[in-house]
Amino acid sequence: MNFEEHAAKSLVLAPAGIAIPRGVLCASAAEAGQAAATIGPCVVKAQVPTGKRGKAGGIKLANGPAETEKAAGQIIGMTIGDYKVERLLIEEQAKIAREFYAAVLHDTTRRKPLILFSTEGGMDIEEIAAEKPKAIRRLAVDIDEVPSAKDISGMLAGLDLGAAEAQVADILQKLHATYRARDAELLEINPLALLADGRVVALDCKFVLDDASVFRQAQIAPHGSPGAMTDLERRGAAAGLKLIQLDGNVGVLANGAGLTMTTMDVIRHYGGKPANFLEIGGEAYTKAEIALDLVLSNPGVKSLVINFCGAFARTDVMADGVIKAWAKLKPKVPVFFSIHGTGEDEAVALVRGALGIEPYDFMEDAVQAAVQAAQ
């Protein structure tokens, strides 16, 4: 779950004791002008849960209410990424002396939280990594540990931070602690700015909450921003199914998230492109008709792979649900089955008898056939 900048700052950084600028959240150009009257010279920022707002024209400087209202009118209603701008953060301008980058994220290789810091702030981390890889300092921390003052000091050694070093070290400590406490996947400050008056302030923040931990973050989760969804994805969510629509032409229906992702990987391996992620594991098999309709409602689908692997769940029960759905929906696309596990013999007999289709002995063969049929 992504959070807009204003929520990340006010709900995550500020309670942790990390300084942020004064700001007011506004929903109209008129409100923005009124906010500027109390704030003074300000920055008008589009509030959408995506990056590159500045490059898209979603961040403007303004001096006074009239300029602020004009800038706000230009930004509200524009589309950045997949999001329409409906709210603005009107924030005081900062007199910046230096810009830094700071973040804590998952290191999937080391399987540890990773603290990042760079004196090259204000630009995308990908650009920093590509142009000046040595400019990024990294500190991996065991999942059940916290970085010591010595660890942080060593990370910052030789960066010529001067009097700001103590503040930066304190912020990195707090950032790591907040990352853990808030079940973050990513907590990023860019830029973390040293101001002319000597303060170090977070001028922007990106916070991504682990979806699996939403129940533990009940106070802040309601302020998160759901991802942009297609019409089919919204239909799936309304039915209690997790559908992710993709731009491929091979539809996928499998039981279990892992099996679904594996099927998608095999489709790509054979040169195809999956059209969706949609798994019907657990009790979702009872929604076979809805699931099948969702997959086939994607106009890009030219073939379909149905892959069942039963352990506790019985594949014959899942196959029966799909067969009944098939009888109602009467799809025209070619379908290729792979069925293994508990109830396999019964499931194969059901598919063979009701649909006249012979399931494949190997998943790879079913996928390869579907990829060829979609071409």
Side-chain angles (χ1 to χ4, degrees):
M1 177 184 289
N2 291 291
F3 283 67
E4 294 175 354
E5 176 192 0
H6 71 94
K9 284 178 172 176
S10 63
L11 298 175
V12 179
L13 294 188
I18 298 174
I20 62 174
R22 288 188 303 133
V24 178
L25 186 64
C26 300
S28 70
E31 286 183 17
Q34 293 169 6
T38 61
I39 291 176
C42 60
V43 188
V44 183
K45 297 182 173 183
Q47 294 301 285
V48 287
T50 187
K52 305 189 186 302
R53 291 172 298 160
K55 292 180 180 179
I59 299 177
K60 297 180 182 292
L61 297 177
N63 294 307
E67 278 190 28
T68 302
E69 188 166 344
K70 180 180 178 181
Q74 294 170 341
I75 295 174
I76 286 183
M78 70 186 300
T79 299
I80 301 177
D82 294 321
Y83 300 91
K84 182 179 179 180
V85 179
E86 297 179 342
R87 299 189 293 182
L88 303 168
L89 177 61
I90 308 303
E91 196 169 72
E92 63 180 335
Q93 290 185 21
K95 294 181 180 180
I96 302 171
R98 295 180 69 181
E99 291 184 330
F100 310 131
Y101 173 94
V104 186
L105 48 80
H106 294 338
D107 185 331
T108 55
T109 301
R110 300 179 188 180
R111 300 180 182 179
K112 298 178 179 181
L114 182 66
I115 302 175
L116 300 179
F117 182 79
S118 176
T119 55
E120 303 286 335
M123 59 190 292
D124 292 337
I125 190 63
E126 294 84 3
E127 295 178 19
I128 301 174
E131 296 176 11
K132 300 180 180 180
K134 293 184 179 179
I136 304 174
R137 297 289 179 89
R138 297 169 172 84
L139 177 62
V141 184
D142 287 339
I143 191 65
D144 56 351
E145 300 289 339
V146 296
S148 67
K150 183 178 180 180
D151 293 332
I152 297 295
S153 178
M155 181 185 187
L156 301 178
L159 293 179
D160 192 27
L161 297 177
E165 183 169 334
Q167 291 184 71
V168 171
D170 180 60
I171 288 171
L172 292 178
Q173 290 272 17
K174 290 175 177 175
L175 202 64
H176 176 266
T178 304
Y179 163 90
R180 293 184 62 185
R182 289 303 189 186
D183 294 302
E185 289 185 357
L186 170 67
L187 186 53
E188 177 185 83
I189 302 174
N190 189 24
L192 176 66
L194 170 61
L195 304 187
D197 62 9
R199 291 180 298 137
V200 179
V201 177
L203 297 188
D204 197 358
C205 180
K206 183 173 183 179
F207 170 57
V208 181
L209 172 64
D210 184 346
D211 288 342
S213 299
V214 167
F215 73 97
R216 283 203 298 259
Q217 302 295 337
Q219 290 184 329
I220 65 171
H223 301 278
S225 300
M229 301 175 72
T230 67
D231 289 340
L232 282 180
E233 288 169 345
R234 279 190 286 270
R235 281 175 53 191
L241 294 171
K242 178 64 175 180
L243 169 72
I244 300 175
Q245 187 175 353
L246 305 172
D247 61 356
N249 55 11
V250 180
V252 180
L253 195 61
N255 66 298
L259 183 61
T260 304
M261 290 187 285
T262 299
T263 307
M264 295 166 67
D265 286 342
V266 176
I267 289 171
R268 293 188 184 93
H269 174 76
Y270 285 112
K273 294 181 69 177
N276 65 275
F277 170 95
L278 177 60
E279 60 100 358
I280 55 170
E283 293 184 356
Y285 78 87
T286 61
K287 301 176 181 178
E289 182 179 344
I290 301 170
L292 186 61
D293 185 43
L294 285 169
V295 173
L296 298 175
S297 293
N298 183 342
V301 170
K302 304 302 180 186
S303 68
L304 174 64
V305 174
I306 296 179
N307 190 8
F308 291 151
C309 184
F312 297 107
R314 293 189 59 88
T315 57
D316 55 334
V317 175
M318 292 184 280
D320 182 62
V322 169
I323 289 168
K324 289 176 179 176
W326 202 271
K328 287 186 178 181
L329 298 174
K330 297 180 172 57
K332 303 298 182 183
V333 300
V335 58
F336 304 88
F337 283 86
S338 174
I339 303 173
H340 298 91
T342 307
E344 174 183 342
D345 292 341
E346 294 89 341
V348 169
L350 281 170
V351 172
R352 185 187 295 132
L355 302 181
I357 295 173
E358 188 67 28
Y360 285 78
D361 291 334
F362 298 100
M363 176 185 69
E364 294 89 338
D365 293 337
V367 169
Q368 203 167 6
V371 170
Q372 292 173 355
Q375 293 174 349

